[in-house]
Amino acid sequence: MNDSGQSAGSSARSKRKDARRNQQALLDAAAEVFVGSGVDAPVRDIAARAGVGVGTIYRHFPTRADLVVAVYRHQVDACAEAGPALLAAGPTPHAALVRWVDLFVDFLVTKHGLATAMQEDSACFGPLHTYFLESLLPVCAQLLEAATASGEITSDLDAYQFMRGIGNLCVGADSDPRYDARRLVALLVAGLRRPH
């Protein structure tokens, strides 16, 4: 391959990388706006937060449902990627589990209308729920297994039961200021500790 072919290839890769980075920034901005204003927030607010024009958002996400689905998947991916990173960073598997559960609770409590918006379009909700489970169950299982193997927790809970329990404790947390889901989830996680 000649030099012009190599530079064209690296230029195309660079543009794809830039496009991916821009799309990630746009999804982060949309997630922040959704947390503050719900999924019905004006697209211009998302564009302003992302520092792009409204047309850019519509070019990537022609409908609001497309944007909501992309934000949901983006947040699931971030939560899934955090598990192994927290485990590698230490200091202990239990500490990694606690930090990951905090991220998971953030996701559940701050999605402000994402679940409702998706349930309105059941064709959209089914595949996303499957994506959620397939992405997060293995991560949760890995963290539980590591904390069990290190002797920090005793757990006969499987990842599904644990995540479902956390999810149930988070229901309604965004609409009732007197309810502290984080405190109850912390009690659930503390209950896994092996007695000394």
Side-chain angles (χ1 to χ4, degrees):
M1 183 186 290
N2 61 30
D3 287 345
S4 65
Q6 288 177 339
S7 64
S10 66
S11 174
R13 278 192 298 279
S14 178
K15 284 182 182 177
R16 282 195 302 271
K17 190 181 283 187
D18 286 347
R20 264 196 310 275
R21 192 171 34 249
N22 291 343
Q23 188 165 354
Q24 298 299 314
L26 196 140
L27 291 172
D28 287 337
E32 290 171 20
V33 171
F34 287 169
V35 165
S37 306
V39 295
D40 294 323
V43 171
R44 68 179 173 278
D45 292 356
I46 297 166
R49 176 76 56 103
V52 300
V54 171
T56 300
I57 294 179
Y58 284 118
R59 189 166 51 254
H60 288 289
F61 309 104
T63 69
R64 183 171 297 271
D66 293 331
L67 180 60
V68 170
V69 167
V71 167
Y72 185 90
R73 289 178 69 103
H74 178 61
Q75 291 184 315
V76 168
D77 291 345
C79 196
E81 290 163 10
L86 290 169
L87 206 49
T92 68
H94 181 264
L97 175 66
V98 168
R99 290 190 62 208
W100 185 81
V101 167
D102 283 343
L103 293 173
F104 183 56
V105 170
D106 281 343
F107 169 75
L108 294 175
V109 170
T110 63
K111 62 186 179 184
H112 283 271
L114 283 173
T116 304
M118 288 183 303
Q119 284 172 340
E120 289 168 5
D121 180 0
S122 57
C124 167
F125 182 70
L128 275 179
H129 185 67
T130 300
Y131 185 77
F132 170 88
L133 291 176
E134 288 175 352
S135 299
L136 297 182
L137 279 175
V139 174
C140 184
Q142 179 187 20
L143 288 160
L144 286 171
E145 287 164 13
T148 301
S150 72
E152 295 174 280
I153 67 171
T154 56
S155 176
D156 57 358
L157 278 181
D158 68 13
Y160 178 80
Q161 291 173 329
F162 186 56
M163 287 174 55
R164 180 79 189 256
I166 293 168
N168 286 344
L169 289 173
C170 291
V171 169
D174 60 341
S175 60
D176 183 353
R178 296 184 315 158
Y179 179 65
D180 187 354
R182 288 185 187 287
R183 189 169 186 313
L184 290 176
V185 170
L187 288 171
L188 172 66
V189 174
L192 299 175
R193 285 304 293 244
R194 182 185 291 273
H196 295 294

